[in-house]
Amino acid sequence: MSLQSLHDLPAPAKLNLFLHIVGRRADGYHLLQSVFLLIDWADTLHLERRSDGLLQRHDLTTPLPADDLCLKAARALQKASGCTLGADISVAKHLPAGAGMGGGSSDAATVLLGLNRLWQLGWSRAQLLALGATLGADVPFFIGGHNAWVEGIGELLTPIALPALENACWAVVKPSASIATPEIFSSPELTRDTNAATVAGLLADIEQRRKTDKSQLGNQQTPSPFFGRNDLQPVAEALCPDVGSAGRWLDQRFGNSRMTGSGSAVFAQAGKYESGAGNSPVATGLNGQVLGDDVFQDLPNGWVGRMCRGLPHHPLVGWAD
């Protein structure tokens, strides 16, 4: 029997634990290194099959642009596969726009994974990855389904396991202001020659911080993720002072902060998740205090904050071979 609909499909966000610009290609594209970590702050999509070939998007929360990445992804898959079916795509947008957390790219990836199943195309992950790369640099990461070491212009992905960081509690703050990515990358002040890092260097840094944390604070703290830096952050703070303000807000409460991607969201490692009543995960801070979204109640008007949990893999990781 043919599937008629798929509901409550997650499209999770990501954090850039660091972001280095290590060079620039002749065509102007910047070469980067980063680690992308999936988190449980997510949009929710619902897909319903249509027999007339039409593709329509329905906004359940925040209105999206008329021709967003969800529709572009659906059209691209329809054309590439020769499928004559259509779909109603309903989007409950929970991720803030312009955050640097990959929300639009994640939505597109979930559309590709979902329609591949709904239309019963049987496409492989490799086929979906190739199609996703034509839509945006971050789309393949979300299709790949695993946390990753990222290089090139964002298209070279190496899965990487970071169990301690995946179990960490991340405080994420998005100011009301956003930044135009081209402004950051075109700035003459942008650092473009950071020395190349290695996965081995990252893992050694995390292990050293883990040992230091344990010797100083017992077992109350998960390893610090702050290997390297975000090379875009100084330029972003100059263009959007709220980025710096958000960082200081987090620094005062958790002792660390960093901007993610090229958006205006800033995050901090706030603690870790432990089993609570009924084995439900509970976020706890350095002193064992329970951390909830009430932490953000004194944010400036228009700002958004959330406690997030790192994910070991995408919730739909098994939807493609």
Side-chain angles (χ1 to χ4, degrees), residues 34-280:
S34 186
V35 165
F36 288 1
L37 176 74
L38 292 157
I39 58 174
D40 65 354
W41 196 354
D43 295 334
T44 304
L45 282 73
H46 314 282
L47 305 176
E48 296 187 35
R49 175 174 167 152
R50 296 178 65 115
S51 59
D52 58 8
L54 292 178
L55 297 169
Q56 295 188 342
R57 196 197 67 236
H58 310 278
D59 300 333
L60 304 181
T61 52
T62 305
L64 297 174
D67 192 27
D68 75 324
L69 271 181
C70 289
L71 286 173
K72 291 178 180 177
R75 280 201 305 272
L77 182 60
Q78 189 183 56
K79 180 179 179 180
S81 66
C83 183
T84 59
L85 297 171
D88 285 301
I89 304 168
S90 299
V91 183
K93 194 73 182 170
H94 305 300
L95 295 169
M101 297 162 64
S105 295
S106 187
D107 292 345
T110 291
V111 166
L112 292 177
L113 290 165
L115 290 182
N116 185 41
R117 176 168 289 200
L118 185 66
W119 291 342
Q120 298 180 319
L121 300 178
W123 273 37
S124 68
R125 190 181 309 277
Q127 288 175 292
L128 294 174
L129 284 169
L131 186 62
T134 67
L135 298 167
D138 287 348
V139 178
F141 164 69
F142 293 104
I143 295 172
H146 295 279
N147 297 319
W149 176 274
V150 183
E151 295 185 285
I153 61 172
E155 84 285 14
L156 303 177
L157 303 170
T158 302
I160 183 171
L162 300 168
L165 302 186
E166 293 157 3
N167 197 46
C169 173
W170 305 93
V172 184
V173 170
K174 167 63 171 68
S176 54
S178 296
I179 314 168
T181 297
E183 284 190 72
I184 298 178
F185 281 102
S186 64
S187 171
E189 303 302 319
L190 178 64
T191 297
R192 296 179 170 90
D193 58 356
T194 296
N195 291 333
T198 64
V199 174
L202 169 72
L203 297 178
D205 182 83
I206 291 175
E207 176 62 17
Q208 181 57 45
R209 290 170 186 266
R210 183 188 68 81
K211 293 177 180 178
T212 301
D213 291 342
K214 282 191 173 183
S215 67
Q216 294 178 351
L217 299 169
N219 294 318
Q220 293 297 321
Q221 188 175 19
T222 50
S224 169
F226 293 128
F227 173 87
R229 59 184 180 269
N230 186 334
D231 283 335
L232 310 185
Q233 189 162 349
V235 175
E237 289 181 355
L239 293 170
C240 179
D242 279 355
V243 172
S245 297
R248 289 187 292 273
W249 191 95
L250 288 168
D251 285 335
Q252 291 169 3
R253 289 155 180 81
F254 306 111
N256 63 91
S257 69
R258 178 166 293 169
M259 187 180 89
T260 179
S262 60
S264 59
V266 183
F267 66 93
Q269 187 176 1
K272 62 181 179 180
Y273 278 87
E274 300 177 305
S275 294
N279 290 324
S280 297

